[in-house]
Amino acid sequence: MNRDYPLERIRNIGLIAHIDAGKTTVTERILYYTGILHQMGEVHDGTATMDWMIQEKERGITITSAATTCYWKNHRINIIDTPGHVDFTVEVERSLRVLDGAVVIFCGVAGVEPQSETVWHQADRYNIPRLAFVNKLDRVGADFTYAVETIKSKLHPNSFPVQLPIMDGEDFLGVVSLIDKKAYIFDKDDLGIQFTIRQIASENDERISLELRDLVKNYSNQLIEKIAEYDETILQKFLDDDEISEKDLIASVRKLTLNCDFVPILCGSALKNKGIQLLINAIVDFLPSPIDVPGIEAAIPNSKNKKKIIVDETLPFAALAFKNQVNPYVGKLTYLRAYSGKINRGDYVLNVNTGKKERITRILQMHSNKSINKEALYAGEICAVAGLSNTSSGDSIVQLDSPVLLEKIAFAEPVMSIAIEPKTKIDEESLEITLPRLFDEDPTYHIKKDKETGQTLISGMGELHLEILIDRLKREFKVDVNVGKPRVNYKETIIDSVEAEGILDRKVGEHGQYGHVKLRIEPYSTNRQMGNSKNMIYFEDISSEEEIPKHYINAIKSGIFESSESGVLTGNKVEDVKAIITGGSFNPVDSSELAFKIAGSIAFINALRKAKSILLEPIMNINIVTPEEYLGNVINDLNGRRGKIIEVSDKESIKIINGYVPLSETFGYATNLRSVSQGRASYSMEFFKYEKVPENISIKIIERMRGY
């Protein structure tokens, strides 16, 4: 069986944005106009196709990324609709890791919002070509020019409109394309199927005002000048005063977009069904196919050599598992992005990360939580497969005889925890089975058993993230638990350099266990703003072979890593520390890896006890939108929470406050903000970095956590 569409006519794209910018509504319209849906669903009614979880329907937000496929102008478009809430940033991160292009959606009223910047920078990390779509131009206060300026000033200076909105006062009537110089005026049938196309150049058409013609001419000239900066062909035609055709413009904009030199800005209103067909055209015209994307680097296991993986189905199969999902009908599904080769249903594959062989029992093309069986998965495609029971997000799935290791996905680290206790013995048994399944779906959840209380500590990205997990435990998996109050995930580090040693010298039966490690620890900060789940302990080994044989060094590192999970102040993780192995001794008969692992752990703990340790707390980037008359109240409240105001900007009668605030001070903030603004202010926040806790507050936290 051959692939249904050639590679050059496949688009793998994601929709990314700040929460409530309209991603899911845009996706719903795309599916309707491409014929996949026969009736549009609405987020506010809980009927949107892509929001299939009960929690999504109830809350009107996207929680988990959902994949679907549609067809337009003889192209196949694979779409992943991602969440906008910062607590579910893992879904954006792992989606962007495997996508070829993205549509970034902005609210026509607010322009660039905090999470807009976050998802944009995530796309920057993976060098993803993207389109910008300014949505909600039907809303009161919408300002396309303002939105464009915020995109250019905050995100990408070479962003420029390829469309302009047609406005009649506050009414949004349609869209002008600067590419084909046509006006698309949507009829009032509320479905967006019928629209009138008018030539801007036609002076006989009274529907096209002189003001609009002049505006289009002005923007068209600016667009050509912007493109000519990068495209010599367009520049030469511009200088020679030759005609620059629609075909020339499409080819040039596509080339610059693929190189990430240019971001086309489009406009519309998904809720009012305007401009979506033109957006789909732009996805086909400007975003990359799998063969337009450079090959990815892969490591060869047990070797320092690298290999470039290119999209070619004649090469050995190589894919990245980027998401796991528990499907009530199929069981565990693993989403794969195939980079090369082809795999058939029933074939065996190798998980390079685990070294285990597994069998693909089913291949599924997903449409939200529904699926269609497929016989094969080809290079350049995204599908879900069943049968990979031992596979986690970020694992490399390859042909048995051609192991390569693709770069894993870096996930943000959790900043908040809650304690849970099962209510009955049956709940306890169910919890032990259920939690690993949920953590397999979302790697940003962490689990830890509190040895003193016997409680299970679950860490996540925020209050909503943890709330959703508890809700799923109770409703989806029927596990009843008592839930504690949310607590902040603090960290510990050191501010001075000390030396210590660890010795293990004991008899176990007839054999001894001997390991001796000398260690120096010192502060080592990389000023990270966006952490990942990796423990940030840095190593250097300056010991000699005569003191410690080199094959014991990894065991020492392992012991130090384990000890760094629990610091001496509050038992929180230790980070930003450099551990230097300076020396030690060994016994040729009694020394072992286990002995040196324990000795390394003892040395690190002894060093921490001698060092001056401090507490670090998560700092959040907060963005508050408030009417001007409540600005003083909002600022006073934020200052009382140890907040730091960076900027206050204006948009008509609205004030936009950007600043930083400790996470520990934000509990109950939504209620307080409503109170000081009579319910008219709103806010959003996201993790920024870890920062030292002021000493007077640190003492109280330590005493509280130690139970004094």
Side-chain angles (χ1 to χ4, degrees):
M1 182 181 176
N2 296 322
R3 65 165 74 240
D4 53 357
Y5 279 78
L7 279 166
E8 62 270 17
R9 286 196 271 115
I10 291 177
R11 302 288 183 269
N12 295 314
I13 68 155
L15 271 61
I16 59 177
H18 185 92
I19 189 170
D20 201 34
K23 296 176 305 302
T24 302
T25 305
V26 169
T27 308
E28 199 76 12
R29 271 47 178 181
I30 290 174
L31 295 177
Y32 178 76
Y33 296 127
T34 56
I36 300 299
L37 297 180
H38 300 293
Q39 183 176 349
M40 298 181 201
E42 301 293 355
V43 173
H44 53 268
D45 292 335
T47 56
T49 306
M50 305 302 280
D51 286 348
W52 58 271
M53 293 176 63
I54 188 170
Q55 292 85 359
E56 293 176 316
K57 293 179 182 296
E58 289 178 348
R59 297 164 190 263
I61 62 170
T62 302
I63 292 170
T64 184
S65 57
T68 189
T69 298
C70 60
Y71 306 89
W72 185 257
K73 293 187 175 179
N74 209 22
H75 284 71
R76 173 178 167 182
I77 305 174
N78 300 316
I79 300 173
I80 296 182
D81 176 32
T82 66
H85 197 287
V86 65
D87 283 14
F88 308 102
T89 187
V90 60
E91 298 288 345
V92 182
E93 188 73 34
R94 58 186 175 188
S95 296
L96 286 173
R97 171 66 176 80
V98 300
L99 291 168
D100 301 325
V103 177
V104 190
I105 300 172
F106 300 91
C107 173
V109 178
V112 173
E113 298 173 271
Q115 188 67 1
S116 309
E117 296 186 67
T118 300
V119 298
W120 190 278
H121 297 319
Q122 284 175 300
D124 280 341
R125 272 205 300 277
Y126 297 113
N127 209 32
I128 302 286
R130 67 211 80 154
L131 306 175
F133 181 74
V134 179
N135 190 29
K136 300 191 176 184
L137 290 178
D138 60 295
R139 289 181 58 182
V140 175
D143 187 337
F144 179 71
T145 303
Y146 169 79
V148 168
E149 288 306 312
T150 60
I151 295 169
K152 291 168 68 175
S153 62
K154 294 185 178 182
L155 302 178
H156 199 300
N158 287 333
S159 306
F160 198 81
V162 294
Q163 294 176 356
L164 299 175
I166 303 172
M167 307 296 297
D168 181 10
E170 292 286 335
D171 292 337
F172 173 50
L173 304 180
V175 172
V176 173
S177 169
L178 301 179
I179 302 293
D180 62 13
K181 308 295 192 303
K182 292 177 182 177
Y184 297 82
I185 301 170
F186 289 84
D187 297 343
K188 295 182 178 180
D189 64 352
D190 293 328
L191 294 177
I193 298 172
Q194 302 296 325
F195 52 86
T196 304
I197 302 176
R198 299 183 180 275
Q199 293 286 348
I200 292 294
S202 174
E203 296 183 3
N204 298 324
D205 195 333
E206 296 179 357
R207 294 279 301 271
I208 306 300
S209 67
L210 182 61
E211 182 184 3
L212 182 58
R213 285 197 185 94
D214 289 343
L215 191 67
V216 170
K217 183 178 180 180
N218 180 33
Y219 268 89
S220 295
N221 289 336
Q222 290 184 57
L223 174 63
I224 290 171
E225 289 173 9
K226 179 71 70 175
I227 293 171
E229 293 177 18
Y230 296 90
D231 191 318
E232 291 184 4
T233 304
I234 296 293
L235 175 61
Q236 194 60 53
K237 286 192 174 188
F238 180 68
L239 294 175
D240 294 342
D241 205 23
D242 289 347
E243 181 188 354
I244 299 173
S245 68
E246 177 186 346
K247 186 177 179 181
D248 292 334
L249 284 175
I250 290 175
S252 184
V253 170
R254 177 177 178 80
K255 181 175 73 173
L256 298 182
T257 303
L258 297 189
N259 291 335
C260 294
D261 291 327
F262 181 74
V263 178
I265 302 177
L266 300 90
C267 59
S269 168
L271 187 63
K272 298 299 183 182
N273 313 314
K274 295 175 181 177
I276 302 301
Q277 296 95 324
L278 302 179
L279 172 62
I280 311 172
N281 286 342
I283 290 169
V284 168
D285 289 341
F286 303 139
L287 290 182
S289 72
I291 57 176
D292 294 316
V293 178
I296 61 169
E297 290 284 339
I300 298 175
N302 305 316
S303 167
K304 293 183 179 180
N305 296 329
K306 299 274 188 179
K307 181 179 180 181
K308 179 152 278 192
I309 305 296
I310 61 173
V311 180
D312 185 340
E313 66 186 61
T314 65
L315 296 175
F317 182 75
L320 185 75
F322 67 94
K323 175 183 170 73
N324 285 325
Q325 178 182 313
V326 178
N327 186 290
Y329 307 106
V330 183
K332 178 181 175 179
L333 290 179
T334 302
Y335 285 75
L336 297 182
R337 164 63 195 263
Y339 287 100
S340 69
K342 169 193 170 186
I343 202 76
N344 295 310
R345 180 172 59 86
D347 285 353
Y348 283 91
V349 292
L350 174 68
N351 183 325
V352 184
N353 299 81
T354 64
K356 293 183 178 179
K357 183 172 77 169
E358 298 193 77
R359 183 171 177 263
I360 304 286
T361 56
R362 293 180 69 182
I363 299 174
L364 303 165
Q365 180 180 305
M366 300 302 297
H367 176 54
S368 188
N369 62 330
K370 299 179 176 62
S371 60
I372 300 171
N373 285 309
K374 292 187 63 174
E375 291 299 315
L377 170 61
Y378 295 87
E381 295 183 344
I382 295 173
C383 280
V385 301
L388 303 183
S389 55
N390 296 307
T391 295
S392 301
S393 294
D395 285 356
S396 299
I397 306 300
V398 304
Q399 192 168 301
L400 290 175
D401 57 355
S402 299
V404 290
L405 197 58
L406 306 178
E407 183 183 354
K408 286 185 73 72
I409 307 169
F411 297 119
E413 54 188 285
V415 295
M416 189 177 289
S417 301
I418 52 171
I420 61 172
E421 290 179 336
K423 289 188 175 180
T424 67
K425 184 67 176 174
I426 294 174
D427 290 326
E428 183 178 359
E429 293 170 356
S430 299
L431 192 65
E432 290 180 3
I433 298 170
T434 302
L435 282 180
R437 292 171 66 183
L438 290 172
F439 299 146
D440 195 31
E441 287 188 20
D442 187 342
T444 54
Y445 285 125
H446 287 191
I447 181 171
K448 183 180 178 182
K449 199 80 171 178
D450 191 317
K451 296 177 183 177
E452 295 183 4
T453 65
Q455 293 175 319
T456 299
L457 288 178
I458 299 175
S459 300
M461 301 306 297
E463 287 184 88
L464 180 61
H465 196 216
L466 295 169
E467 190 180 316
I468 294 297
L469 180 130
I470 298 302
D471 192 50
R472 290 190 66 193
L473 274 177
K474 292 180 176 180
R475 294 165 65 170
E476 196 174 321
F477 297 96
K478 311 301 181 189
V479 180
D480 208 1
V481 292
N482 293 316
V483 182
K485 292 182 178 179
R487 61 180 79 172
V488 173
N489 282 2
Y490 294 97
K491 294 183 186 294
E492 299 180 24
T493 193
I494 60 170
I495 56 174
D496 60 352
S497 176
V498 300
E499 294 186 352
E501 61 181 342
I503 301 174
L504 178 71
D505 186 7
R506 65 177 64 162
K507 278 281 185 184
V508 181
E510 296 181 2
H511 299 283
Q513 288 285 356
Y514 181 83
H516 174 210
V517 176
K518 293 180 180 179
L519 195 68
R520 182 169 76 249
I521 63 171
E522 56 190 43
Y524 191 86
S525 175
T526 56
N527 196 29
R528 291 171 298 120
Q529 290 190 0
M530 291 299 290
N532 57 43
S533 57
K534 188 177 180 182
N535 195 343
M536 302 306 286
I537 303 293
Y538 304 87
F539 283 99
E540 187 178 344
D541 172 30
I542 60 174
S543 65
S544 67
E545 183 79 25
E546 290 73 26
E547 292 172 309
I548 303 175
K550 296 307 174 190
H551 60 272
Y552 291 133
I553 297 300
N554 282 337
I556 296 171
K557 290 181 179 180
S558 178
I560 292 171
F561 267 138
E562 288 186 10
S563 296
S564 71
E565 289 292 321
S566 183
V568 296
L569 292 179
T570 58
N572 282 290
K573 184 186 287 189
V574 179
E575 287 200 352
D576 290 341
V577 171
K578 187 172 186 179
I580 304 167
I581 303 169
T582 58
S585 60
F586 76 103
N587 183 309
V589 176
D590 293 337
S591 287
S592 66
E593 288 190 358
L594 177 62
F596 271 100
K597 179 180 178 180
I598 295 172
S601 176
I602 294 170
F604 188 71
I605 292 170
N606 289 340
L608 285 180
R609 287 172 176 160
K610 290 173 66 176
K612 171 67 175 174
S613 292
I614 61 169
L615 209 57
L616 303 174
E617 65 180 340
I619 303 296
M620 310 302 284
N621 184 347
I622 190 166
N623 184 272
I624 307 166
V625 178
T626 178
E628 188 172 1
E629 59 262 39
Y630 303 109
L631 179 64
N633 293 345
V634 172
I635 288 177
N636 289 337
D637 183 67
L638 194 62
N639 287 336
R641 297 172 183 273
R642 295 193 284 130
K644 186 185 300 181
I645 295 168
I646 304 301
E647 178 188 35
V648 179
S649 56
D650 300 303
K651 186 178 184 290
E652 298 174 353
S653 62
I654 297 296
K655 295 289 185 179
I656 303 170
I657 304 167
N658 186 255
Y660 305 120
V661 63
L663 176 63
S664 60
E665 302 287 347
T666 64
F667 294 124
Y669 183 63
T671 303
N672 261 61
L673 185 63
R674 282 196 295 269
S675 175
V676 300
S677 68
Q678 296 186 14
R680 294 176 62 192
S682 62
Y683 81 102
S684 62
M685 65 181 184
E686 61 184 350
F687 173 72
F688 175 56
K689 67 176 181 178
Y690 272 87
E691 200 172 80
K692 179 183 176 182
V693 180
E695 190 169 354
N696 61 321
I697 296 173
S698 177
I699 291 170
K700 294 178 182 177
I701 293 170
I702 293 168
E703 289 178 349
R704 185 179 73 245
M705 296 185 77
R706 287 179 175 176
Y708 294 161

mmCIF file of all heavy atoms in Angstrom, residues 25 29 39-48 51 56-60 271:
data_model
loop_
_atom_site.group_PDB
_atom_site.id
_atom_site.type_symbol
_atom_site.label_atom_id
_atom_site.label_comp_id
_atom_site.label_asym_id
_atom_site.label_seq_id
_atom_site.Cartn_x
_atom_site.Cartn_y
_atom_site.Cartn_z
ATOM 1 N N THR A 25 -11.316 27.265 18.151
ATOM 2 C CA THR A 25 -12.358 27.753 17.241
ATOM 3 C C THR A 25 -11.831 27.815 15.812
ATOM 4 O O THR A 25 -12.543 27.471 14.859
ATOM 5 C CB THR A 25 -12.853 29.142 17.690
ATOM 6 O OG1 THR A 25 -13.276 29.061 19.056
ATOM 7 C CG2 THR A 25 -14.017 29.613 16.847
ATOM 8 N N ARG A 29 -13.281 25.646 12.549
ATOM 9 C CA ARG A 29 -13.657 26.206 11.244
ATOM 10 C C ARG A 29 -12.864 25.569 10.106
ATOM 11 O O ARG A 29 -13.400 25.331 9.023
ATOM 12 C CB ARG A 29 -13.420 27.728 11.237
ATOM 13 C CG ARG A 29 -14.590 28.577 11.708
ATOM 14 C CD ARG A 29 -15.212 28.093 12.960
ATOM 15 N NE ARG A 29 -16.308 28.938 13.435
ATOM 16 C CZ ARG A 29 -16.975 28.684 14.551
ATOM 17 N NH1 ARG A 29 -16.659 27.624 15.285
ATOM 18 N NH2 ARG A 29 -17.958 29.458 14.941
ATOM 19 N N GLN A 39 -20.979 20.174 10.805
ATOM 20 C CA GLN A 39 -21.590 21.160 11.696
ATOM 21 C C GLN A 39 -20.504 21.681 12.626
ATOM 22 O O GLN A 39 -19.738 20.906 13.199
ATOM 23 C CB GLN A 39 -22.728 20.541 12.513
ATOM 24 C CG GLN A 39 -23.442 21.552 13.399
ATOM 25 C CD GLN A 39 -24.633 20.920 14.114
ATOM 26 O OE1 GLN A 39 -25.045 19.809 13.796
ATOM 27 N NE2 GLN A 39 -25.192 21.635 15.071
ATOM 28 N N MET A 40 -20.431 22.995 12.761
ATOM 29 C CA MET A 40 -19.411 23.587 13.620
ATOM 30 C C MET A 40 -19.781 23.428 15.085
ATOM 31 O O MET A 40 -20.915 23.678 15.477
ATOM 32 C CB MET A 40 -19.261 25.084 13.324
ATOM 33 C CG MET A 40 -18.816 25.434 11.924
ATOM 34 S SD MET A 40 -18.672 27.228 11.792
ATOM 35 C CE MET A 40 -18.793 27.432 10.019
ATOM 36 N N GLY A 41 -18.777 23.033 15.883
ATOM 37 C CA GLY A 41 -18.956 23.041 17.326
ATOM 38 C C GLY A 41 -18.408 24.334 17.903
ATOM 39 O O GLY A 41 -17.666 25.053 17.239
ATOM 40 N N GLU A 42 -18.783 24.636 19.145
ATOM 41 C CA GLU A 42 -18.320 25.867 19.787
ATOM 42 C C GLU A 42 -17.698 25.535 21.136
ATOM 43 O O GLU A 42 -18.216 24.699 21.894
ATOM 44 C CB GLU A 42 -19.483 26.851 19.997
ATOM 45 C CG GLU A 42 -20.209 27.256 18.714
ATOM 46 C CD GLU A 42 -19.339 28.097 17.776
ATOM 47 O OE1 GLU A 42 -18.209 28.447 18.164
ATOM 48 O OE2 GLU A 42 -19.804 28.395 16.660
ATOM 49 N N VAL A 43 -16.580 26.214 21.442
ATOM 50 C CA VAL A 43 -15.897 26.006 22.712
ATOM 51 C C VAL A 43 -16.808 26.365 23.881
ATOM 52 O O VAL A 43 -16.901 25.631 24.871
ATOM 53 C CB VAL A 43 -14.601 26.860 22.759
ATOM 54 C CG1 VAL A 43 -13.973 26.797 24.152
ATOM 55 C CG2 VAL A 43 -13.612 26.374 21.711
ATOM 56 N N HIS A 44 -17.524 27.506 23.771
ATOM 57 C CA HIS A 44 -18.347 27.963 24.895
ATOM 58 C C HIS A 44 -19.560 27.065 25.135
ATOM 59 O O HIS A 44 -20.148 27.087 26.207
ATOM 60 C CB HIS A 44 -18.798 29.418 24.681
ATOM 61 C CG HIS A 44 -19.475 29.650 23.368
ATOM 62 N ND1 HIS A 44 -18.788 30.058 22.238
ATOM 63 C CD2 HIS A 44 -20.776 29.527 22.980
ATOM 64 C CE1 HIS A 44 -19.635 30.196 21.236
ATOM 65 N NE2 HIS A 44 -20.849 29.874 21.657
ATOM 66 N N ASP A 45 -19.939 26.272 24.140
ATOM 67 C CA ASP A 45 -21.046 25.329 24.328
ATOM 68 C C ASP A 45 -20.564 23.937 24.736
ATOM 69 O O ASP A 45 -21.382 23.043 24.979
ATOM 70 C CB ASP A 45 -21.855 25.192 23.024
ATOM 71 C CG ASP A 45 -22.611 26.463 22.680
ATOM 72 O OD1 ASP A 45 -22.909 27.230 23.620
ATOM 73 O OD2 ASP A 45 -22.886 26.693 21.496
ATOM 74 N N GLY A 46 -19.239 23.736 24.756
ATOM 75 C CA GLY A 46 -18.687 22.411 25.061
ATOM 76 C C GLY A 46 -18.861 21.420 23.933
ATOM 77 O O GLY A 46 -18.855 20.210 24.160
ATOM 78 N N THR A 47 -19.005 21.936 22.690
ATOM 79 C CA THR A 47 -19.248 21.035 21.553
ATOM 80 C C THR A 47 -18.094 21.028 20.550
ATOM 81 O O THR A 47 -18.227 20.473 19.467
ATOM 82 C CB THR A 47 -20.538 21.449 20.816
ATOM 83 O OG1 THR A 47 -20.434 22.828 20.417
ATOM 84 C CG2 THR A 47 -21.752 21.274 21.716
ATOM 85 N N ALA A 48 -16.963 21.675 20.891
ATOM 86 C CA ALA A 48 -15.819 21.705 19.975
ATOM 87 C C ALA A 48 -15.231 20.305 19.818
ATOM 88 O O ALA A 48 -15.033 19.584 20.806
ATOM 89 C CB ALA A 48 -14.755 22.671 20.483
ATOM 90 N N ASP A 51 -11.777 19.621 21.662
ATOM 91 C CA ASP A 51 -11.826 19.582 23.129
ATOM 92 C C ASP A 51 -12.724 18.417 23.540
ATOM 93 O O ASP A 51 -13.913 18.583 23.817
ATOM 94 C CB ASP A 51 -12.377 20.901 23.686
ATOM 95 C CG ASP A 51 -11.384 22.040 23.593
ATOM 96 O OD1 ASP A 51 -10.208 21.762 23.310
ATOM 97 O OD2 ASP A 51 -11.783 23.200 23.785
ATOM 98 N N GLU A 56 -12.279 19.621 29.559
ATOM 99 C CA GLU A 56 -12.186 20.670 28.540
ATOM 100 C C GLU A 56 -13.560 21.228 28.202
ATOM 101 O O GLU A 56 -13.736 22.444 28.043
ATOM 102 C CB GLU A 56 -11.515 20.116 27.281
ATOM 103 C CG GLU A 56 -10.049 19.755 27.471
ATOM 104 C CD GLU A 56 -9.442 19.117 26.238
ATOM 105 O OE1 GLU A 56 -10.100 18.239 25.639
ATOM 106 O OE2 GLU A 56 -8.312 19.482 25.872
ATOM 107 N N LYS A 57 -14.527 20.350 28.073
ATOM 108 C CA LYS A 57 -15.885 20.789 27.746
ATOM 109 C C LYS A 57 -16.472 21.653 28.863
ATOM 110 O O LYS A 57 -17.146 22.654 28.613
ATOM 111 C CB LYS A 57 -16.777 19.570 27.501
ATOM 112 C CG LYS A 57 -16.404 18.772 26.250
ATOM 113 C CD LYS A 57 -17.312 17.562 26.072
ATOM 114 C CE LYS A 57 -16.925 16.725 24.877
ATOM 115 N NZ LYS A 57 -17.088 17.448 23.603
ATOM 116 N N GLU A 58 -16.212 21.264 30.117
ATOM 117 C CA GLU A 58 -16.769 22.001 31.252
ATOM 118 C C GLU A 58 -16.116 23.368 31.429
ATOM 119 O O GLU A 58 -16.780 24.355 31.751
ATOM 120 C CB GLU A 58 -16.586 21.192 32.536
ATOM 121 C CG GLU A 58 -17.478 19.966 32.610
ATOM 122 C CD GLU A 58 -17.230 19.156 33.865
ATOM 123 O OE1 GLU A 58 -16.224 19.411 34.568
ATOM 124 O OE2 GLU A 58 -18.039 18.256 34.142
ATOM 125 N N ARG A 59 -14.798 23.427 31.207
ATOM 126 C CA ARG A 59 -14.066 24.660 31.499
ATOM 127 C C ARG A 59 -13.906 25.569 30.294
ATOM 128 O O ARG A 59 -13.495 26.723 30.427
ATOM 129 C CB ARG A 59 -12.673 24.310 32.070
ATOM 130 C CG ARG A 59 -12.759 23.568 33.386
ATOM 131 C CD ARG A 59 -11.431 22.895 33.729
ATOM 132 N NE ARG A 59 -11.569 22.000 34.858
ATOM 133 C CZ ARG A 59 -11.278 22.336 36.110
ATOM 134 N NH1 ARG A 59 -10.827 23.546 36.366
ATOM 135 N NH2 ARG A 59 -11.430 21.462 37.083
ATOM 136 N N GLY A 60 -14.170 25.036 29.094
ATOM 137 C CA GLY A 60 -14.032 25.842 27.895
ATOM 138 C C GLY A 60 -12.597 26.163 27.543
ATOM 139 O O GLY A 60 -12.310 27.196 26.934
ATOM 140 N N LEU A 271 -14.801 33.050 15.114
ATOM 141 C CA LEU A 271 -16.148 32.902 15.666
ATOM 142 C C LEU A 271 -17.210 33.382 14.683
ATOM 143 O O LEU A 271 -18.294 32.802 14.591
ATOM 144 C CB LEU A 271 -16.260 33.675 16.986
ATOM 145 C CG LEU A 271 -17.556 33.465 17.767
ATOM 146 C CD1 LEU A 271 -17.694 32.015 18.214
ATOM 147 C CD2 LEU A 271 -17.617 34.399 18.967
#
